[in-house]
């Protein structure tokens, strides 16, 4: 193996590019199965170094900013300051200061980068602004020193009432951003720490950039395309607030929906009014209103709807979400994951439907690498319909190798699960260190006595005969700060959690369950929140949900509103409840206004307050919950599988409703997919605090590719697979799988090594551009085979770029 280093200077003097070319001989790969499945081409990893994008002073400036953040004195002559519109006046700073032009990255966030699928645009979230770049070349993806456009996400009048959650000093920083389509129009969506949510049309951004002098064309070129000065600076077409720090984002193209999750432990779906519904829709029949309640009225989309999806009583903060479609491709449900690892599936339209809850895997299978002695938390989710899977013929093609073992169904998991960690370890140049963990270690936990002390259990598993564990006092510095409860009722107060442990003695729980319906918001206490995953025995998950099931079983009837009509329209405290006899009348709902709120779990409809103070009270209202005793997977009309991600583990589970007499499908579990190995390195630990999380999730249907990234700096490339005909096994049958193709950056890539490693700021994927555009909506053509660019953007402003394609004839995933 040898390396060839090339340094090229662009005609544009704003940046230089370093290309590290790894020339690998096919004979290096010793794993015959892997070598036979993949093409091993001449691989190129392009790394854009921050010194060459922002100038020679950037490296020292970044170093001094990091030193100040750690409480150390800067080494340079100029005192660094945080780049943020909320913290300094641009006119009062030195125009030539490097800190004025070098944006500061925010910590403890979700994905902060995105690529347009229609135009040659690269988006980066810095504080409360979105920097928009036009990459200058195909292979190198060079970025200029200054952005081609800045989108300033100005806070609304209600934002100061909400305030920051992760950062109270700079409360308006962006937490997450993504691109997607609303119908035929592509948008960029961003959500902030103060609950603000913004959306812009990418076409307006591209047109404005292309209209400016001395700026490259973001739009595809052509004889009829010319620069014009008529384009206006892009502004948001959508701005709303969800009441607390917002995290998960999802955009649905066909249904034209935007979904946002937050630390209110609920999901808000924004459904825009559709013009065609106002022109062509007919009033609903009275029988439909009585039979379907408000769902028929809401589905007409004659108003702007804020649909609030309540989750179960024990739900925690929700970092990621994903849509689930019906057979016609319309959005039917939203799947969400909370930080305790629970999956929640809520119906968007139908009223009074129980929320579906799927419990997490056993804590013994998901050991936290960053926080010793704790279970991994839940961070990512992706719902995949059956048509998203690539058909293969053999079990080796399904998984990429042989699984270590297959665990039979248990009380914790009703589906048999296969440990596929050996498959990922067989991938050449895997940069992740191997840890001593696996599914077979879980068998030791099943023989623990009910009253055995948790510390003694850990000592037994670690082989410590004396039961003495090393004091990890430094590990208290590694919590996920942004996801702690507002009242500080977290894992640090173990004495306060003893009461919760008292209800965890029953052993008759089931994996899939929901909760009981509840009444109006006034009956729910916002402070009455349980954290079932922090009960002190994280490694004995069989009893995690017992308390919830026992509580639900004591409720013989759902609690309903006082009105005898099931569709009564309860409204905020500042409004008057309607006459029950008028609640089902469409004319009453039509008179409420153009901006409406719908609570599917209780079937309530209310107008959205417009005055700032009333809107602030509405956003701060007590949290509502929606519980039921058991899940009903049969309510999912289309075949789906779901990918759930923890800190370093991922799993694939089916959402098919199997009967008791039907052979169950074997699921996929990989316990140590993206390990870091340096959390206790004193030189790296301060920079990688709270970064162990598989929270960067993307799906590229055109390549049949799933991308899972971790802020630790690693990214997985996976192919969803399914067998042409299922194969029976001792514990179930093989049908669907996940095959890991690559782990990036590879061990040979220079960005993987050294003490200058930094966490990821974001991961972006999009079509490779050419002289006619990116081969998407904006260009009217597509290159064959389609190539995509994957950009890994690190907090120190290093950017590693890979090109990905899949061969049509062989189906092999290739990286160039």
């Amino acid at each position: 193996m040898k390396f060839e280093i090339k340094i090229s200077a662009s005609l544009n003097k704003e940046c230089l590019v370093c290309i590290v070319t790894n020339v690998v001989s096919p004979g290096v790969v010793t794993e015959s199965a892997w070598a036979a499945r993949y093409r091993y081409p001449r691989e190129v990893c392009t790394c854009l170094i921050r010194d060459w994008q922002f100038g020679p002073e950037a490296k020292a400036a970044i170093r001094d900013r990091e030193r100040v953040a750690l409480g150390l004195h800067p080494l340079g002559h100029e005192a660094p300051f945080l780049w943020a519109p909320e913290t300094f006046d641009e006119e009062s700073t030195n125009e030539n200061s490097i800190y004025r032009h070098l944006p500061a990255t925010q910590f403890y966030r979700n994905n902060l980068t995105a690529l347009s699928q229609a135009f040659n645009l690269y988006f980066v979230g810095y504080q409360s602004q979105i920097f928009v770049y036009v990459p200058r070349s195909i292979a190198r993806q060079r970025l200029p020193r200054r952005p081609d456009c800045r989108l300033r996400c100005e806070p609304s009048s209600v934002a100061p009432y909400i305030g920051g959650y992760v950062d109270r000093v700079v409360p308006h920083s962006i937490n997450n951003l993504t691109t997607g389509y609303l119908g035929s129009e592509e948008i960029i969506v961003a959500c902030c720490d103060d609950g603000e949510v913004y959306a812009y049309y990418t076409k307006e951004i591209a047109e404005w950039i292309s209209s400016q002098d001395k700026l490259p064309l973001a739009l595809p070129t052509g004889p009829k395309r010319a620069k014009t000065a008529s384009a206006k600076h892009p502004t948001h077409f959508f701005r709303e607030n969800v009441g607390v720090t917002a995290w998960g984002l999802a955009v649905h193209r066909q249904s034209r929906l935007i979904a946002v999750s937050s630390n209110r432990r609920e999901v808000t779906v924004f459904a825009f009014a559709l013009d065609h519904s106002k022109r062509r829709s007919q009033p609903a029949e009275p029988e439909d209103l009585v039979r379907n309640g408000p769902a028929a009225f809401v589905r007409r989309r004659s108003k702007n709807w804020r649909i609030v999806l309540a989750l179960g009583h024990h739900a925690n903060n929700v970092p990621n979400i994903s849509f689930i479609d019906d057979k016609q491709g319309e959005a039917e449900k939203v799947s969400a994951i909370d930080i305790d690892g629970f999956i929640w599936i809520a119906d968007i339209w139908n009223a009074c439907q129980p929320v579906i809850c799927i419990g997490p895997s056993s804590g013994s299978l998901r050991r936290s690498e960053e926080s010793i002695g704790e279970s991994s938390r839940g961070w990512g989710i992706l719902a995949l319909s059956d048509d998203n899977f690539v058909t293969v013929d053999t079990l080796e093609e399904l998984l990429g190798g042989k699984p270590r073992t297959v665990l039979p169904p248990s009380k914790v998991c009703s589906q048999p699960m296969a440990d596929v960690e050996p498959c990922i370890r067989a991938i050449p140049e895997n940069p992740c260190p191997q840890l001593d963990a696996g599914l077979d270690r879980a068998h030791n936990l099943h023989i623990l006595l009910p009253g055995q002390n948790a510390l003694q259990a850990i000592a037994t598993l670690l082989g410590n005969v004396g039961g003495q564990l090393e004091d990890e006092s430094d590990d208290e510095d590694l919590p996920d700060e942004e996801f702690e409860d507002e009242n500080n009722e977290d894992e640090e107060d173990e004495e306060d959690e003893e009461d919760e442990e008292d209800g965890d003695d029953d052993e008759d729980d089931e994996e899939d369950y929901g909760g009981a319906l509840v009444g109006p918001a006034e009956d729910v206490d916002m402070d009455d929140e349980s954290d079932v995953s922090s009960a002190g025995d994280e490694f004995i998950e069989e009893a995690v949900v017992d308390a919830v099931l026992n509580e639900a079983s004591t409720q013989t009837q759902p609690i309903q509103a006082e009105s005898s009509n099931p569709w009564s329209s309860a409204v905020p405290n500042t409004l008057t409840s309607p006459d029950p006899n008028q609640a089902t009348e469409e004319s009453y709902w039509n008179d409420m206004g153009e901006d409406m709120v719908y609570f599917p779990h209780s079937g309530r409809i209310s107008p959205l307050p417009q005055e700032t103070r009333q809107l602030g009270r509405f956003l701060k209202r007590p949290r509502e919950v929606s519980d039921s005793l058991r899940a009903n997977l049969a309510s999912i009309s289309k075949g789906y599988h779901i990918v759930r991600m923890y800190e370093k583990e991922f799993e694939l589970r089916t959402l098919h409703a199997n009967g008791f007499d039907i052979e169950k499908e074997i699921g996929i579990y990989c316990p140590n997919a993206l390990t870091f190995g340096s959390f206790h390195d004193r030189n790296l630990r301060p920079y990688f605090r709270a970064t162990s999380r598989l929270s960067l999730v993307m799906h590229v249907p055109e390549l049949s590719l799933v991308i899972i990234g971790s802020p630790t700096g690693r990214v997985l490339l996976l192919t969803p697979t399914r067998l042409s005909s299922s194969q029976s096994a001792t514990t179930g049958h093989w049908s669907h799988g996940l095959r890991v193709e690559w782990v990036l950056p590879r061990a040979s890539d220079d960005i993987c090594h050294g003490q200058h490693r930094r966490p990821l700021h974001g991961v972006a994927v999009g079509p490779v551009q050419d002289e006619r555009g990116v081969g998407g909506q904006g260009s009217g053509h597509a290159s064959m085979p389609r190539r995509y660019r994957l950009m890994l953007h690190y907090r120190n402003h290093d950017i590693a770029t890979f090109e990905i394609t899949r061969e049509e004839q062989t189906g092999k995933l290739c990286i160039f």
Side-chain angles (χ1 to χ4, degrees):
M1 183 179 299
K2 63 179 181 179
F3 296 90
E4 178 184 355
I5 307 296
K6 299 180 181 179
I7 299 181
S8 61
S10 171
L11 295 178
N12 186 339
K13 298 181 179 180
E14 291 178 335
C15 53
L16 294 174
V17 178
C18 175
I19 306 177
V20 180
T21 304
N22 180 10
V23 183
V24 185
S25 170
V28 174
V29 184
T30 57
E31 294 81 356
S32 58
W34 197 96
R37 192 171 76 244
Y38 296 98
R39 174 185 175 191
Y40 218 143
R42 185 173 183 264
E43 302 165 10
V44 178
C45 170
T46 302
C47 181
L48 180 66
I49 307 300
R50 97 289 299 187
D51 302 22
W52 298 323
Q53 181 185 3
F54 295 105
E57 299 176 342
K59 182 176 181 180
I62 294 172
R63 176 203 61 200
D64 283 350
R65 266 190 180 152
E66 292 177 342
R67 289 180 60 85
V68 171
L70 296 176
L72 304 175
H73 293 289
L75 300 179
H77 298 290
E78 182 181 3
F81 56 85
L82 175 65
W83 183 95
E86 298 88 342
T87 57
F88 82 97
D89 184 5
E90 293 188 11
E91 297 181 356
S92 63
T93 60
N94 182 5
E95 183 177 357
N96 298 323
S97 173
I98 180 62
Y99 298 106
R100 183 184 176 112
H101 306 290
L102 181 67
T105 58
Q106 55 267 46
F107 298 168
Y108 315 122
R109 313 292 166 150
N110 209 326
N111 200 359
L112 294 174
T113 64
L115 275 164
S116 169
Q117 307 302 302
F119 307 102
N120 184 27
L121 298 175
Y122 179 60
F123 303 93
V124 187
Y126 291 122
Q127 307 301 322
S128 64
Q129 297 186 15
I130 302 176
F131 280 34
V132 185
Y133 297 95
V134 178
R136 298 302 199 258
S137 65
I138 295 178
R140 297 169 177 83
Q141 303 297 331
R142 295 184 292 105
L143 302 182
R145 178 174 298 184
R146 292 178 175 83
D148 297 305
C149 179
R150 280 194 192 186
L151 304 177
R152 291 175 168 82
C153 301
E154 299 294 340
S156 64
S157 59
V158 78
Y161 288 86
I162 305 302
Y165 189 90
V166 179
D167 190 341
R168 301 185 185 277
V169 178
V170 186
H172 194 55
S173 295
I174 296 173
N175 283 342
N176 191 10
L177 56 84
T178 187
T179 56
Y181 280 90
L182 288 180
S184 59
E185 293 288 340
E186 189 190 35
I187 63 173
I188 171 75
V189 187
C191 59
C192 301
D193 190 26
D194 55 4
E196 295 279 274
V197 185
Y198 300 83
Y200 300 80
Y201 289 115
T202 58
K203 183 177 180 180
E204 293 183 358
I205 300 171
E207 288 178 345
W208 184 87
I209 293 176
S210 298
S211 68
Q212 305 303 302
D213 293 335
K214 300 181 181 180
L215 287 183
L217 286 173
L219 293 166
T221 59
K224 297 182 180 179
R225 180 75 62 182
K227 292 178 180 289
T228 62
S230 59
K232 297 181 180 180
H233 192 280
T235 58
H236 59 264
F237 72 90
F238 170 81
R239 180 177 64 185
E240 292 290 344
N241 196 293
V242 296
V244 72
T245 180
W247 277 85
L249 290 173
V251 181
H252 198 278
R253 180 171 191 166
Q254 184 169 325
S255 298
R256 293 174 171 85
L257 302 175
I258 297 177
V260 185
S261 67
S262 69
N263 279 20
R264 272 187 61 86
R265 307 176 183 194
E266 65 188 17
V267 179
T268 303
V269 179
F270 295 96
F272 305 97
L274 303 179
D275 291 338
H276 70 83
S277 64
K278 295 182 180 180
R279 293 195 305 264
R280 297 183 294 180
S281 62
Q282 299 295 328
E285 296 294 334
E287 294 81 6
D288 292 337
L289 290 175
V290 174
R291 182 173 62 254
N292 300 325
F297 180 71
V298 176
R299 280 182 177 272
R300 290 175 53 200
R301 304 286 289 273
S302 60
K303 297 177 180 291
N304 294 317
W305 289 99
R306 176 191 290 251
I307 305 174
V308 181
L309 306 182
L311 306 181
H313 175 75
H314 63 287
N316 212 321
N317 303 323
V318 182
N320 264 307
I321 52 178
S322 179
F323 280 108
I324 294 179
D325 300 345
D326 60 17
K327 294 181 180 179
Q328 289 72 38
E330 297 286 347
E332 180 182 42
K333 302 177 186 294
V334 171
S335 60
I337 186 169
D338 68 18
I339 59 173
D340 292 330
F342 286 86
I343 294 176
W344 303 93
I345 302 177
D347 199 294
I348 301 175
W349 311 105
N350 297 320
C352 295
Q353 296 298 308
V355 64
I356 298 173
C357 182
I358 302 176
S361 299
S362 174
S364 62
L365 309 182
R366 46 186 181 94
R367 305 284 185 81
S368 175
E369 180 189 5
E370 186 172 4
S371 301
I372 300 298
E374 297 183 6
S375 301
S376 294
R377 291 188 149 186
W379 287 103
I381 191 169
L382 179 63
L384 295 173
S385 62
D386 288 349
D387 52 12
N388 291 134
F389 290 77
V390 176
T391 302
V392 297
D393 297 323
T394 66
L395 184 60
E396 188 171 356
E397 291 176 319
L398 183 77
L399 305 177
K402 294 183 179 180
R404 172 186 293 156
T405 185
V406 178
L407 287 183
S410 64
K411 295 179 180 179
V412 179
C413 180
S414 62
Q415 184 178 1
M417 302 295 289
D419 181 353
V420 298
E421 184 181 357
C423 304
I424 195 173
R425 293 299 159 196
I427 296 177
E429 297 200 72
N430 185 346
C432 301
Q434 185 171 1
L435 302 180
D436 293 331
L439 289 184
D440 24 350
R441 295 187 64 187
H443 294 295
N444 297 328
L445 293 173
H446 296 312
I447 62 175
L448 296 177
L449 298 177
Q452 190 170 1
N453 182 269
L455 289 178
Q456 180 62 37
I458 300 173
T460 303
L461 291 173
L462 296 179
N464 191 335
V465 180
Q468 301 295 325
L469 296 180
E470 183 178 353
D471 183 15
E472 297 286 350
S473 59
D474 292 339
D475 290 333
E476 63 186 7
D477 295 330
L478 298 173
D480 298 317
E481 293 181 342
E482 70 277 23
F483 278 102
E484 299 300 331
D485 295 341
E486 294 185 10
N487 298 320
N488 294 326
E489 297 176 359
D490 49 37
E491 288 87 352
E492 295 180 1
D493 298 326
E494 295 183 359
E495 295 179 358
D496 297 337
E497 297 169 353
E498 294 178 356
D499 294 337
E500 296 182 29
E501 296 179 11
D502 295 337
D504 292 340
D505 296 331
D506 296 336
E507 297 294 336
D508 57 350
D509 64 309
E510 295 193 17
E511 176 216 12
D512 299 330
Y513 65 93
L517 295 174
V518 299
E522 302 86 81
D523 299 332
V524 183
D525 186 1
M526 182 69 172
D527 296 331
D528 186 17
E529 299 168 350
S530 62
D531 187 359
V532 297
S533 69
S534 57
D537 55 348
E538 296 91 339
F539 302 101
I540 310 177
E541 294 292 332
E542 290 85 348
V544 164
V545 298
D546 287 343
V548 181
L549 291 174
N550 292 336
E551 180 181 355
S553 63
T554 61
Q555 301 183 14
T556 58
Q557 295 181 355
I559 304 174
Q560 297 185 359
E562 296 179 359
S563 171
S564 60
N565 192 313
W567 316 125
S568 61
S569 300
V571 294
N573 297 333
T574 56
L575 303 174
T576 304
S577 297
D579 183 355
N581 296 326
Q582 299 177 341
T584 58
E585 295 182 3
E586 183 180 357
S587 60
Y588 179 82
W589 288 330
N590 278 325
D591 294 338
M592 284 186 176
E594 293 300 315
D595 297 320
M596 307 284 287
V597 186
Y598 175 41
F599 300 88
H601 69 282
S602 59
R604 295 183 293 114
I605 289 179
S606 68
L608 180 68
Q610 301 300 311
E611 194 270 330
T612 300
R613 184 167 298 180
Q614 291 186 1
L615 179 59
R617 285 206 295 264
F618 169 79
L619 296 174
K620 289 289 189 179
R621 70 194 182 281
R623 169 178 172 250
E624 300 185 46
V625 297
S626 172
D627 288 339
S628 67
L629 183 60
R630 294 192 61 178
N632 182 18
L633 293 179
S635 64
I636 301 176
S637 59
K638 186 177 180 181
Y640 264 89
H641 286 70
I642 202 156
V643 185
R644 170 164 50 184
M645 290 138 272
Y646 300 98
E647 293 182 7
K648 55 182 174 58
E649 308 87 355
F650 69 85
E651 65 183 21
L652 176 73
R653 302 181 67 169
T654 180
L655 293 183
H656 293 273
N658 292 329
F660 292 102
D661 57 342
I662 300 178
E663 186 180 39
K664 295 187 177 181
E665 179 181 336
I666 299 175
I668 305 301
Y669 189 87
C670 188
N672 293 302
L674 288 183
T675 55
F676 182 60
S678 301
F679 281 117
H680 303 289
D681 186 329
R682 294 186 178 273
N683 295 321
L684 290 177
R685 180 171 178 171
Y687 307 106
F688 285 86
R689 180 181 181 183
T691 58
S692 181
R693 53 182 70 172
L694 301 185
S695 59
L696 313 176
V697 188
M698 284 145 285
H699 182 212
V700 187
E702 189 170 6
L703 294 182
S704 300
L705 180 66
V706 173
I707 300 173
I708 301 176
S710 169
T712 56
R714 315 297 192 197
V715 174
L716 288 171
L717 304 185
L718 306 100
T719 298
T721 54
R722 65 176 177 181
L723 291 173
S724 54
S725 59
S726 61
Q727 299 180 11
S728 296
T730 304
T731 56
H733 73 274
W734 297 98
S735 177
H736 292 72
L738 282 177
R739 187 177 69 207
V740 180
E741 311 277 16
W742 293 90
V743 182
L744 300 177
R746 294 151 299 192
S748 60
D749 295 327
D750 183 66
I751 202 168
C752 286
H753 307 288
Q755 293 297 327
H756 296 293
R757 293 172 55 190
R758 292 296 180 266
L760 277 172
H761 189 65
V763 177
V765 63
V768 173
Q769 80 279 25
D770 57 25
E771 67 278 2
R772 294 173 293 176
V774 297
Q777 175 72 17
S779 65
H781 87 287
S783 57
M784 299 299 290
R786 193 74 174 274
R787 290 185 301 155
Y788 276 73
R789 45 186 167 171
L790 176 66
M791 302 179 69
L792 313 184
H793 195 132
Y794 293 84
R795 286 184 189 169
N796 61 354
H797 300 285
D798 286 351
I799 302 176
T801 302
F802 302 84
E803 286 191 17
I804 306 172
T805 189
R806 191 180 290 276
E807 290 185 346
E808 293 183 350
Q809 294 78 8
T810 64
K812 297 176 181 178
L813 190 70
C814 303
I815 299 181
F816 296 94

